[in-house]
């Protein structure tokens, strides 16, 4: 006798599941919830806001009938080519698809393929843990259909493909990135067979759109310990296809007994460190890219040794090219990453040189609103294994932070607004826009940053008059 499959009706408390099951019953067909929803329920993770439903037959028909029975007239988006339909209800999106015999075609431009059984469909999904289905039909409500032992792989924390991984990955090469992403997010191991298939097929990633790759990359970067993913990406050969700038940081060179640190591994330590303090994706990006300028600027210079002069500037230029290549937004997020890379050595230099008020004022002026993020990045950048030095650097930064607070409370240069405007200068001397206006404004700003005058109207006004006189301008107001 075949034992009854385990039942998880408790996963299906949202009334929409019963409604889908009843609708499928009326159509004399079968419907299942499948994929991430089932996996996350069994792992007791947060239940996702998007749900995937497989119908035996037409997913589009089922979606339309379900939508017709739902209150509030939800919209149904039909993707005829893919054979899928999306029903959006408040707080929940349900994607319907008909079971397929061949590859999972969700992202392919090719039209949907031949109808199949549930098992056919499960076989062509990415991982066994994502191929488990719960029945929605009334008689079998909540029964787990798990022909490829996803439950046992879930318990052993292993990512295994339901069929030969060479087939799984050539059906959709993005799945190689997904393997690394799930390994990082869930703390699972990639099975030996799947791992070997990634090593063999990594070149196929080139046919995948940059946007889809970046989506996975973001999920890796937002994991608690992103280095797990990046090291896997590098070892399997995937990383070189989208972030060769990081690979260029790999290795240690030695000349005349002098070595520099391996900036590749250092980078991932920094990313792991920063992940403990921030969930800001872009600050994590800044950590990932903070040293990319070191590869093109590396030089051995007698008698100093290894130098990376100007790597922050070169690195910030590389950020633009990299974002552009990966089709990432070239907006204020990118500018923020550029700014972090550009300023990434400033607090360190400052703490080494002794913390003067004017250096702190300049740093606050240059970093503006992002000064805290910059300090977080610099603290994450401390990866020395020497406990004394580790302590010393952290103490120094604590001092810098304190000084930043003191100086800012007094001088307010974080959101610097010139205390005399260009209009005021023109009015005072009865002149139009000209070089002298810029010169006066600049000199006042510099004087404030150097602490020669306070950041106040009266002092700035007096200085403006003196500067005007020197430039041969006549006060008319
Ligand atoms: N799937 C697949 N191959 C892909 C993408 C998805 O086989 N390249 C299948 C898997 O069964 C997956 C389901 O489609 O579980 C839903 O995909 P998606 O919503 O992208 O991912 P989830 O598994 O739900 O996980 P997450 O929400 O964390 O991305």
């Amino acid at each position: 006798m075949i034992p009854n499959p385990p039942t998880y009706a408790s996963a299906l408390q949202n009334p929409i599941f019963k409604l889908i099951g009843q609708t499928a019953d009326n159509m004399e067909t079968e419907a299942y919830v499948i994929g991430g929803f089932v996996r996350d329920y069994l792992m007791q993770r947060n239940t996702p806001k998007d749900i995937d439903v497989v119908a035996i037959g037409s997913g589009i028909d089922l979606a339309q009938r379900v939508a017709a029975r739902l209150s509030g007239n939800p919209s149904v988006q039909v993707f005829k080519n893919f054979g899928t339909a999306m029903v959006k209800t408040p707080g929940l999106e349900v994607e319907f698809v008909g079971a397929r015999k061949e590859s999972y075609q969700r992202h392919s431009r090719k039209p949907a393929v031949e109808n199949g059984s549930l098992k056919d469909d499960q076989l062509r999904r990415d991982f066994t843990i994502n191929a488990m289905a719960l029945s929605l039909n009334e008689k079998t409500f909540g029964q787990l259909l798990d022909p490829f032992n996803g439950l046992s792989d879930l318990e052993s924390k292993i990512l295994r493909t339901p069929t030969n991984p060479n087939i799984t990955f050539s059906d959709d090469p993005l799945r190689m990135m997904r393997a690394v992403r799930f390994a990082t997010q869930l703390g699972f191991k990639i099975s030996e067979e799947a791992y070997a298939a990634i090593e063999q097929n990594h070149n196929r990633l080139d046919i995948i759109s940059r946007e889809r790759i970046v989506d996975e990359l973001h999920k890796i970067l937002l994991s608690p310990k992103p280095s797990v993913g990046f090291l896997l990406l590098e070892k399997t050969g995937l990383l070189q296809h989208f972030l060769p700038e990081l690979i260029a940081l790999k290795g240690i060179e030695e000349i005349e007994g002098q070595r520099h640190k391996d900036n590749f591994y250092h980078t991932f330590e920094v990313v792991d460190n920063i992940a403990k303090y921030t969930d800001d994706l872009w600050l994590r990006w800044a950590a990932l890219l903070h040293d990319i300028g070191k590869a093109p600027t590396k030089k051995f210079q007698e008698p100093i040794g290894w130098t990376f002069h100007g790597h922050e500037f070169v690195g910030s230029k590389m950020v633009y090219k990299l974002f552009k290549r990966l089709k990432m937004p070239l907006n204020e997020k990118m500018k923020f990453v550029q700014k972090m890379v550009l300023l990434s050595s400033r607090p360190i230099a400052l703490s080494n040189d002794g913390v003067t008020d004017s250096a702190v004022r300049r740093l606050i002026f240059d970093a503006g609103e992002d000064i805290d993020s910059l300090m977080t990045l610099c603290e994450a950048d401390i990866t020395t294994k020497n406990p004394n030095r580790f302590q010393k650097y952290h103490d120094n930064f604590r001092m810098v932070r304190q000084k930043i607070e003191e100086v800012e409370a007094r001088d307010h240069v974080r959101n610097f607004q010139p205390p005399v405007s260009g209009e005021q200068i023109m009015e005072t001397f009865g002149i139009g826009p000209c070089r002298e206006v810029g010169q006066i404004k600049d000199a006042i700003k510099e004087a404030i940053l150097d602490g020669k005058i306070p950041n106040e109207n009266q002092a700035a006004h007096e200085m403006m008059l003196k500067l005007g006189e020197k430039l041969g301008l006549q006060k008319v107001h």
Side-chain angles (χ1 to χ4, degrees), residues 62-193:
L62 179 62
Q64 277 163 340
R65 287 179 201 228
V66 167
R69 294 179 64 179
L70 277 167
S71 60
N73 225 347
S75 72
V76 190
Q77 256 179 302
V78 174
F79 305 95
K80 230 175 172 175
N81 265 356
F82 304 138
T84 65
M86 171 87 87
V87 177
K88 288 189 185 173
T89 69
L92 202 67
E93 289 186 0
V94 191
E95 183 161 343
F96 292 81
V97 59
R100 288 134 186 205
K101 211 183 185 83
E102 286 216 8
S103 159
Y104 190 76
Q105 298 281 328
R106 186 179 191 168
H107 297 281
S108 157
R109 282 176 224 285
K110 283 180 260 160
V113 287
E114 209 185 324
N115 289 349
S117 67
L118 176 69
K119 195 173 168 187
D120 292 332
D121 189 279
Q122 289 170 302
L123 180 74
R124 301 308 282 263
R125 285 181 177 258
D126 56 359
F127 303 106
T128 59
I129 62 162
N130 287 342
M132 293 183 276
L134 296 179
S135 171
L136 298 179
N137 292 80
E138 196 174 351
K139 279 207 181 114
T140 47
F141 194 72
Q143 272 184 13
L144 176 72
L145 288 303
D146 180 22
F148 305 106
N149 301 317
L151 193 54
S152 120
D153 287 343
L154 200 92
E155 276 155 12
S156 339
K157 296 183 171 238
I158 189 136
L159 289 158
R160 207 190 298 279
T161 55
T163 185
N164 178 340
N166 287 307
I167 298 174
T168 304
F169 295 145
S170 85
D171 280 351
D172 180 0
L174 184 76
R175 289 167 169 175
M176 298 186 283
M177 291 287 298
R178 283 172 62 91
V180 174
R181 189 255 287 191
F182 286 122
T184 318
Q185 252 182 354
L186 308 177
F188 278 33
K189 236 182 96 106
I190 301 173
S191 76
E192 263 174 48
E193 301 78 4

Side-chain angles (χ1 to χ4, degrees), residues 173-182 198 205 212-214 216-217 220 233 238 242:
L174 184 76
R175 289 167 169 175
M176 298 186 283
M177 291 287 298
R178 283 172 62 91
V180 174
R181 189 255 287 191
F182 286 122
I198 299 177
L205 196 67
R212 292 184 73 207
I213 292 175
V214 167
E216 293 301 326
L217 196 57
I220 293 171
L233 288 173
L238 290 166
F242 51 92

